Amino acid sequence: MKTDACLRSMVLLGGFLFASHVISPLSAVDSDTRPNVLFIAIDDLNDWVGCLHGHPSAYTPHIDRLAKRGVLFSNAHCQSPLCNPSRSSLLTSRRPTSTGI
């Protein structure tokens, strides 16, 4: 059951990244002046990764290296305590109470 949720999350994220790749060349801003942004959203990560000084048994060298190279948001909030309403809110910019999810 958890694998299905993970697979759905990956498909949703892949669709979002594909759509942003297709739509981005259509913008009027020159591609040389736009910043290079990679947004990673992970469900149920908590603070166990090394860059957040989490659990001592958690070994996360790749995320730690990525966090050193970019911006790390260590005080994050979400619209809902559940994965699906929070994820759909992030992708649609609408509150879970307005989408009904």
Side-chain angles (χ1 to χ4, degrees), residues 72-83:
L72 176 67
F73 296 98
S74 59
N75 186 11
H77 303 273
C78 61
Q79 291 280 5
S80 173
L82 301 173
C83 296

Side-chain angles (χ1 to χ4, degrees), residues 4-57:
D4 292 338
C6 183
L7 182 61
R8 278 185 272 145
S9 297
M10 294 302 292
V11 168
L12 185 62
L13 181 62
F16 176 71
L17 291 175
F18 175 75
S20 66
H21 178 70
V22 169
I23 294 170
S24 65
L26 301 177
S27 70
V29 179
D30 186 24
S31 63
D32 293 335
T33 61
R34 289 185 300 184
N36 187 9
V37 176
L38 172 64
F39 178 76
I40 299 174
I42 303 171
D43 289 338
D44 301 327
L45 182 63
N46 296 325
D47 63 346
W48 283 32
V49 293
C51 59
L52 293 175
H53 309 292
H55 198 274
S57 296

Side-chain angles (χ1 to χ4, degrees), residues 56-77:
S57 296
Y59 179 67
T60 57
H62 301 297
I63 283 191
D64 297 341
R65 191 171 347 123
L66 184 63
K68 285 180 186 175
R69 293 180 58 196
V71 177
L72 176 67
F73 296 98
S74 59
N75 186 11
H77 303 273

